[in-house]
Structure formats: structure tokens, C-alpha cells
């Protein structure tokens, strides 16, 4: 091993990085002319090309430097010991990142929810971690192993259609059929509501008898462009439901408490109070 071979190895690695950049740029140019590649598919292919070219470049650089590749088994065994002691988490995240890219169970642009409570859109998948942008525009860096080993809810895995459940209640004695018509008419006017898809029409179902209300739930499919905006979409539906019920003079109840004062007790005893809720 000499200074010249070390410089030659560095040049090979640099050429590999430039080659990776050129290949990814060519792939993007082809994808722009053809609509066969989605943005998530293009991203996955780009990352895989980048990793493969770099790995090949590193092996070629080692050969140019003068390291016998057949002796790398000893290095691999030593590296496995290091992985077992200190690099296990990093190696696990690296392998998990490759699994995510190959299986494509998670793609850039997916709207996901993790067991830890993180909710947002996947914006980048790197070697070690995946970046999720929340609705508050905060970027959360999540280790890749959490997606492989934990439970992940992917709202847009196979398609961008999702159905929301919007609970609400009305007073006892309300005409249920009229209330249903009023609510459905109100939400049909919202741009978020999916109306032209067979079998996915909005519906109102009854959930049960509450303490002070008849409990209902609006089942509504939203358009793909609103699938990752669930907080704002839920707010729009609740706003429309409340406005429609108020305009139709349909009462939305709230818990009430009545106070009863019992008088006429024997002398020396104060008034007795009892409270009941409705």
C-alpha cells in the first residue's frame, strides 16, 4: 500500500459517487418523459442505485489500494464482533432501511401513524432513519428499525383514499331521518367529500343511546388530496354538521345538572341538597 494507491482508491470512490449522481439524473430525465414511474417508485430506485454503485466502488477501491478481497472475511468477522458490541443498532437500522426500500411497504409521500403517536407524511428515507413531517411542519427523525419491528398504520399504502369517522349527537326525540338528510346534504357541499366513487357514498349510522343524546357517526370517504390533512378535514366536517343542525333547529345536547332543595325538615336540621344529572 502506497500513497499513490491510496489516492487511486479515493479517485475510484469519487468516480463511483459521480457515476451514482449521473445515473440518478438520467433516471429522473427518463421518468419525466414517461408517466410509468411514480414519485415514490422513482425515489426507491434512485436510493437502490446509489447504494449499489457506492458498494461496487468501495470494493474496486479496495482492490486498487492493494487489499486482498479474499482476506475480507477476517475483517467481516472482526466487524461482526464490533456490531455485536456497539454497532448493533446502526446495523439494524441500515438493514431495516434496505427492507423498507425493497418491500416498498413505506414510500415517500405516505401518511403514517406510529405506535409512539407520531403522525405525518414520509418525506425522506435514508440509510439510518426515515424523516416524517408532521402537520405542524415539524420533521421527526425515526429510526428505520421502528418501522420494521413496530406497528405502523399507513393510511395511503395501496391508494390515497381513506374514510373518516365523525362522531356527533342529537337530542332525544329528534327526527332521525330528517337529521340524516340534513347532515348528508351539508357534507356533500364540501370539497373534501368523495361523491363520484361507486360504493363509497357518505352515510350516517347510529352508535347507541348516550346519557343525554342519541349518538351517531358520519362515515365519509375523502378525496386523495385530503388524505394527509385529516385534522383540517375533520374540522371542516364538524363545522358543517354543527352549522347544518343549527340551521335546521335540531338540538345538539350537552350534559345538564339539576339542583333540588328539600325543605320542611325538623328544626335544627339545615336544608338538604340533592343533585341529579340529565
Amino acid at each position: 500500500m502506497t500513497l499513490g494507491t491510496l489516492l487511486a482508491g479515493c479517485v475510484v470512490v469519487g468516480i463511483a459517487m459521480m457515476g451514482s449522481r449521473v445515473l440518478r439524473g438520467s433516471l429522473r430525465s427518463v421518468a419525466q418523459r414517461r408517466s410509468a414511474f411514480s414519485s415514490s417508485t422513482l425515489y426507491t430506485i434512485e436510493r437502490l442505485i446509489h447504494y449499489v454503485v457506492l458498494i461496487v466502488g468501495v470494493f474496486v477501491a479496495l482492490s486498487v489500494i492493494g487489499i486482498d478481497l479474499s482476506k475480507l472475511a477476517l475483517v467481516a468477522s472482526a466487524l461482526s464482533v464490533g456490531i455485536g458490541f456497539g454497532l448493533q443498532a446502526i446495523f439494524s437500522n441500515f438493514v431495516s432501511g434496505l427492507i423498507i426500500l425493497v418491500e416498498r411497504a413505506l414510500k415517500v409521500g405516505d401518511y403514517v401513524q406510529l405506535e409512539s403517536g407520531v403522525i405525518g407524511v414520509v418525506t425522506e428515507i435514508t440509510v439510518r432513519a426515515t424523516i416524517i413531517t408532521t402537520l405542524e411542519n415539524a420533521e421527526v427523525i425515526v429510526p428505520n428499525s421502528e418501522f420494521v419491528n413496530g406497528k405502523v398504520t399507513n393510511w395511503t399504502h395501496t391508494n390515497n383514499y381513506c374514510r373518516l369517522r365523525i362522531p356527533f349527537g342529537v337530542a332525544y326525540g329528534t327526527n332521525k331521518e330528517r337529521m340524516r338528510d340534513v347532515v348528508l346534504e351539508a357534507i356533500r357541499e364540501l370539497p373534501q367529500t368523495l361523491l363520484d366513487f361507486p360504493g363509497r357514498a357518505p352515510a350516517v349510522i347510529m352508535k347507541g343511546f348516550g346519557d343525554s343524546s342519541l349518538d351517531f357517526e358520519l362515515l365519509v370517504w375523502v378525496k386523495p388530496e385530503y388524505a394527509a390533512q385529516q385534522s383540517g378535514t375533520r374540522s371542516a366536517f364538524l363545522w358543517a354538521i354543527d352549522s347544518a343542525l343549527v340551521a335546521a333547529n335540531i338540538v345538539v345536547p350537552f350534559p345538564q345538572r339539576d339542583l333540588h332543595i328539600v325543605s320542611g325538615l325538623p328544626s335544627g336540621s339545615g336544608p338538604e341538597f340533592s343533585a341529579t344529572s340529565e
Side-chain angles (χ1 to χ4, degrees):
M1 185 182 300
T2 63
L3 180 60
T5 57
L6 287 176
L7 292 176
C10 293
V11 170
V12 170
V13 174
I15 292 175
M17 296 180 65
M18 292 179 60
S20 171
R21 183 177 301 177
V22 170
L23 288 175
R24 286 181 290 157
S26 302
L27 180 63
R28 283 193 293 267
S29 299
V30 173
Q32 289 177 356
R33 294 194 297 267
R34 299 181 181 180
S35 59
F37 294 100
S38 63
S39 59
S40 59
T41 302
L42 180 63
Y43 180 85
T44 301
I45 296 176
E46 284 184 2
R47 302 306 298 180
L48 292 176
I49 289 176
H50 180 66
Y51 296 150
V52 170
V53 172
L54 283 185
I55 291 173
V56 172
V58 169
F59 277 106
V60 174
L62 293 176
S63 178
V64 170
I65 290 173
I67 297 177
D68 188 359
L69 297 181
S70 62
K71 302 288 183 63
L72 287 180
L74 298 176
V75 179
S77 61
L79 183 61
S80 63
V81 176
I83 290 173
F85 282 103
L87 303 178
Q88 183 177 3
I90 296 177
F91 187 75
S92 174
N93 289 326
F94 174 73
V95 175
S96 299
L98 294 179
I99 293 174
I100 291 173
L101 291 174
V102 173
E103 288 188 346
R104 301 190 67 238
L106 191 71
K107 307 179 295 297
V108 173
D110 284 351
Y111 183 71
V112 298
Q113 179 177 356
L114 306 183
E115 279 187 305
S116 58
V118 176
I119 303 176
V121 179
V122 177
T123 54
E124 186 177 357
I125 303 175
T126 63
V127 175
R128 188 190 67 85
T130 296
I131 300 177
I132 296 179
T133 302
T134 66
L135 300 178
E136 292 76 22
N137 202 32
E139 294 182 337
V140 182
I141 301 175
V142 183
N144 290 327
S145 58
E146 185 170 342
F147 293 95
V148 177
N149 300 325
K151 180 180 177 182
V152 181
T153 302
N154 192 336
W155 293 85
T156 56
H157 176 43
T158 55
N159 57 67
N160 290 338
Y161 295 100
C162 69
R163 188 177 70 174
L164 300 183
R165 295 175 174 266
I166 313 296
F168 65 98
V170 296
Y172 280 92
T174 301
N175 188 318
K176 295 182 290 295
E177 288 74 15
R178 178 171 175 267
M179 177 275 302
R180 178 189 59 196
D181 296 339
V182 168
V183 170
L184 292 178
E185 182 180 357
I187 62 103
R188 285 192 181 99
E189 299 178 357
L190 297 179
Q192 295 90 342
T193 307
L194 182 66
L195 297 174
D196 55 353
F197 202 104
R200 295 184 177 179
V204 174
I205 62 173
M206 187 171 180
K207 296 293 293 183
F209 299 94
D211 294 335
S212 57
S213 66
L214 296 173
D215 297 332
F216 292 88
E217 198 170 60
L218 171 67
L219 307 180
V220 56
W221 290 87
V222 300
K223 295 179 180 178
E225 57 268 28
Y226 297 99
Q229 306 175 19
Q230 292 194 11
S231 296
T233 304
R234 289 180 183 274
S235 175
F237 284 126
L238 289 171
W239 195 292
I241 290 173
D242 180 70
S243 299
L245 294 179
V246 171
N249 293 323
I250 297 176
V251 178
V252 178
F254 55 89
Q256 302 180 27
R257 189 171 298 275
D258 295 336
L259 184 65
H260 300 276
I261 302 177
V262 181
S263 59
L265 297 177
S267 58
S269 300
E272 181 178 331
F273 297 91
S274 65
T276 59
S277 61
E278 294 183 356

